[in-house]
């Protein structure tokens, strides 16, 4: 399940808000007057892409969240909403071919270089899913938010990396149908050759 601000994805939960929300949820669990029944149970809880993600242990925990969360407020009356994470936190997978001098560079260093060379590119929420190293370069696959996908669309899915421009390709669509966001099919260095298939 995911808990987000009512204005999500325009506004993200901050770390401070997420900490406060977790405290409030724990207080709610402890304040429930259970009549011999066990309170809601959760496997994990973490902040991702501006949403608090909770892994529920059973249907009772999900129903409890749906009942309790709409009544909670964070600071200045910020309203919250809750629902299945797959419906609320929309993400896409993008692939990038990294050739040349950066072909053996670690993904974290590549992300740092992208941040330095591309204004407005927020890579903080990019999550590496896969890395394949080949003789002429490497393919990196990242999960990114729908907001990041929209920003990439504005650059025609081309970003500056080192001494080249690289093109990203959407590997999977977001749940809102990212067909309109699709860049050209070939994954290549804009000025170079595509990887061998």
């Amino acid at each position: 399940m995911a808990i987000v601000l009512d204005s999500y994805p325009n506004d993200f939960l901050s770390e401070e808000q997420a900490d406060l929300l977790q405290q409030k949820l724990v207080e709610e669990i402890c304040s429930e007057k259970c009549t011999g029944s066990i309170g809601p149970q959760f496997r994990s809880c973490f902040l991702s892409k501006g949403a608090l993600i909770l892994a529920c242990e059973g249907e009772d925990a999900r129903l409890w969240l749906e009942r309790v969360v709409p009544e909670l407020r964070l600071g200045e009356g910020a309203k919250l909403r809750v629902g299945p994470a797959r419906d609320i936190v929309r993400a896409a997978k993008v692939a990038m071919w990294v050739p040349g001098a950066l072909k053996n560079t670690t993904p974290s260093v590549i992300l740092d270089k992208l941040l330095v060379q591309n204004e407005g590119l927020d890579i903080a929420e990019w999550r590496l899913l896969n890395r394949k190293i080949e003789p002429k370069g490497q393919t990196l696959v990242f999960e990114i938010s729908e907001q990041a996908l929209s920003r990439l669309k504005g650059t025609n899915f081309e970003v500056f990396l080192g001494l080249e421009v690289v093109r990203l390709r959407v590997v999977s669509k977001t749940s809102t149908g990212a067909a309109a966001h699709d860049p050209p099919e070939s994954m290549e260095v804009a000025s170079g050759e595509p990887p061998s298939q």
Side-chain angles (χ1 to χ4, degrees):
M1 296 290 282
I3 303 173
V4 295
L5 292 170
D6 198 40
S7 56
Y8 182 89
N10 294 326
D11 297 308
F12 284 10
L13 281 171
S14 67
E15 286 188 33
E16 295 79 23
Q17 288 173 315
D19 289 345
L20 178 60
L21 178 54
Q22 289 178 68
Q23 290 172 6
K24 288 182 178 242
L25 289 170
V26 170
E27 288 170 10
E28 285 293 323
I29 291 171
C30 295
S31 71
E32 297 249 330
K33 303 286 190 256
C34 298
T35 56
S37 64
I38 301 294
Q41 298 173 328
F42 302 92
R43 291 256 170 209
S44 63
C45 178
F46 58 93
L47 182 65
S48 176
K49 298 178 186 69
L52 190 64
I53 308 295
L54 293 100
C56 298
E57 179 66 22
E59 185 74 4
D60 290 343
R62 182 188 66 79
L63 293 172
W64 182 84
L65 283 173
E66 289 176 346
R67 179 175 54 83
V68 169
V69 169
E71 303 303 318
L72 297 177
R73 296 289 179 266
L74 292 180
E76 306 175 16
K79 292 183 180 180
L80 301 167
R81 61 186 163 104
V82 64
R86 69 180 172 275
D87 294 340
I88 292 178
V89 182
R90 297 181 176 113
K93 293 178 189 171
V94 294
M96 167 193 305
W97 172 249
V98 180
L102 298 176
K103 68 182 180 184
N104 294 317
T105 305
T106 65
S108 63
V109 170
I110 287 172
L111 287 173
D112 288 343
K113 290 185 183 315
L114 286 172
L115 183 62
V116 168
Q117 290 187 274
N118 297 276
E119 185 178 353
L121 188 64
D122 181 13
I123 54 96
E125 296 290 338
W126 288 30
R127 188 172 66 111
L128 180 70
L129 298 177
N130 196 3
R131 179 185 189 201
K132 182 178 180 186
I133 300 174
E134 299 176 31
K136 292 186 176 185
Q138 63 179 314
T139 300
L140 302 175
V141 178
F142 295 98
E143 180 182 71
I144 65 172
S145 69
E146 190 166 309
Q147 279 186 315
L149 188 67
S150 294
R151 287 189 189 112
L152 284 173
K153 180 183 178 192
T155 68
N156 197 27
F157 294 91
E158 293 181 347
V159 293
F160 296 99
L161 179 62
L163 302 175
E164 316 223 19
V165 172
V166 295
R167 183 171 294 145
L168 289 92
R169 179 175 55 91
V170 177
V171 177
S172 73
K173 313 290 189 247
T174 61
S175 60
T176 58
H181 296 301
D182 282 350
E185 277 302 307
S186 65
M187 181 174 53
E188 61 187 39
V189 177
S191 59
E193 296 180 17
S196 57
Q197 299 290 326

